[in-house]
Structure formats: C-alpha cells, structure tokens
Amino acid sequence: MSTNDPDRDWFAPPPSQPTQPPQPTPPPQGAPPPQGAPSDRGTPSQGPQRPQPPLAPARPRRGQRQPFSPGAPPPRPRRGTAPFPDQQVWPPPQSRSVSTATQPIPVIPSAGPLPPSTPPPPPAEDVPSAVPTPPPAAAAAAVRPRRRRGRTLLLGVGAVVVFTLGMGLPTADRYLFYKSGQPSETVHVVPVGQQVTYEHVTWLAVIKPTPPPAGTTHTTPDKQWLKITVTRKAADETGTLLTGRPELTVRDKSQRTWQVEIVEDNLPTDKHEVHRAYDYSALAVVPKAVAGEVELHLEPNITYRSDTPTEKLLQVTPEDEEKAARNDVLIFRR
C-alpha cells in the first residue's frame, strides 16, 4: 500500500509489522518487571531493556518491627546504643601483679664483664698459736674505723686552716693599712725625776696619788686617782712658738692604757718666754694595783706654730709630714 493512499488507516500498524510481538520471558517471582515491559496501563514496549538490580527491602515504619527472615543479616543497632555490654577491651583481661610494668624498660648497655673475683687464699697450715688469728672480714672492719677517723681529722684540720686564712688575711690587710697611717712610736725614755729637751722645748713630769675631786661619783674602793703635773719651758726662740698642747696617757707594764685629762694650765695666749716654766695640771684614774707603776707617755705637738697665718693652718708641708711620720713619744720613768 502506498503511503499516499488516502484509504489507509493511519492508526493501524503497517502490513510489514507483525500483529503480535514476541512475549518476553517472565522475570522471577518477586523481581520488578524490566524497564520497557508492558505495564498494567498497557504502555507499549520500547525495545530491549537492561536488567535492573534488585531493590532493597523497604524500611519498616517508626515503631514497627521488621519481620525476621532466615539467612538475613542481623539488624543494625540504632545510633547511640552500645553494641556490647561494658567490658575491658584492651589489654585483654588477665591477672596482673602490681609490680608489673606497662611500659617497656630500656636496655641498659653493659659496662663490660665483671672483674674476676680474687681467689680465696690457700688454707693455712695448722700451726699451733696462743692467739687465734681473726678472720679477714673482722680485720678489715677493725681497720676501716681508723681510716675514717683519720680522714675526718684531716678534713677538720683543713677546715680550720681555711677558716684561719679567711679571717687572717683581711685582718692583716687592715693592720697594714693602719700601720701606713699610724707609724710605730719613736720612744724617748726620760729617767726618774729628770727632764728632757726635745724639739726646742724642755719637758718635766711628776705623778702623785690624789683623793677624788669633790662631788665626783666616778670612784670605787678599787680605783686610784692620780695627779699629773707637766712642766714645759721654751729652750730658744723657736720653742716659744711651739705652743701646741701635748697628748697624755698612762700605761702599766702590760701596756694597758688609761686616758689623762688636762683640767687646767697657766700658759699665756701670746708668745712664750724663753726658759720660763708653764704647767699643765691633769688627772687620771687607774686600778690601785698598778697605781705605783704606771708611767706617763707624752706625745709633743712639734708641727703647730703660733705664728702660722690663719689661711695656712690647714696646709701640710713636707717638713710637717716628716715630723708626723716619726710619732715621737716621751716616756717618764717612775
């Protein structure tokens, strides 16, 4: 039939197409029909289709229990629930003593083989003796305390030496510094009852016991008051200008020193006269046991001159330094 035939039924299949298509093989029971197969609605087939994978079983609704089928995997637990009861997982539960360690102990390298032990001494022959020989252990124990005592003694001596050096070195340094500013005394001894002329001035001293001054409280039965009279005379014109007051002390044979206080004098304020005597009256307090042996130590002032201008009083000349370095002391014997 021509395609342009006006009497053709356009809704009928062409003569070349069979009226009944081949029937497909029915799928296994429970599997869905393949895509393109005729459905209940009568949709015509669209040709050969690929097989579809089996569908997963439908999830049960909330609150509905899933039916059990043999051979099916166990149901998955819900999120947040423990699959097993609380039990120890690692390490495996086993009896373990308290002394065991859970951490590996590092290997300590060996320091080498141990030194060979000293072979025991050969057995001594049976020699009869009156005193039994102590065993070596007892002898070593008897010697060890002596060694310890000797070591302790050496440590003690060393500590004393170190302490002495630590204390003595600063003391020696201070002494040398003191001696640099305080030179040793240049002693001039004056015989008993005699006078001496030194640096243009003649000196004489007399020491006598005296009762305590009226109203004084600085006295006890074991003390003795002494009255000391020092007389000075200018030997020449230079001596009339050396009017500085001397320093006075009394000392016993053990070199114990007591201060002497000048209480009055009759020295003029202007220039002294040559060969005229001027006196210092002084007092001292000493123990009664040494009152008859103490001697007067007089340090004259040989650097001050009464004619020195006021602006030059603080100036020190080389001559004054040389005189001060001598540290002259007059000792009046008794």
Side-chain angles (χ1 to χ4, degrees), residues 100-107:
T100 58
T102 60
Q103 297 293 335
I105 300 177
V107 179

Side-chain angles (χ1 to χ4, degrees), residues 4 51 69 79 81 95 106 121 125 174-175 178 215 272 302 304:
N4 297 325
S69 59
R79 183 177 299 177
T81 61
S95 60
E125 298 181 358
R174 295 190 188 99
Y175 176 75
Y178 169 79
H272 292 187
I302 58 178
Y304 172 74

Side-chain angles (χ1 to χ4, degrees), residues 14-101:
S16 59
Q17 180 177 356
T19 58
Q20 295 294 334
Q23 297 295 330
T25 304
Q29 187 179 359
Q35 186 177 1
S39 61
D40 296 342
R41 296 181 183 181
T43 305
S45 175
Q46 299 295 332
Q49 302 292 332
R50 291 181 300 175
Q52 298 293 330
L55 297 177
R59 296 180 59 183
R61 296 180 181 179
R62 181 176 298 179
Q64 181 181 2
R65 300 181 62 180
Q66 184 177 4
F68 175 76
S69 59
R76 298 175 59 185
R78 290 182 297 173
R79 183 177 299 177
T81 61
F84 301 101
D86 188 11
Q87 62 181 353
Q88 182 176 351
V89 178
W90 185 262
Q94 58 183 354
S95 60
R96 184 177 60 190
S97 62
V98 180
S99 61
T100 58

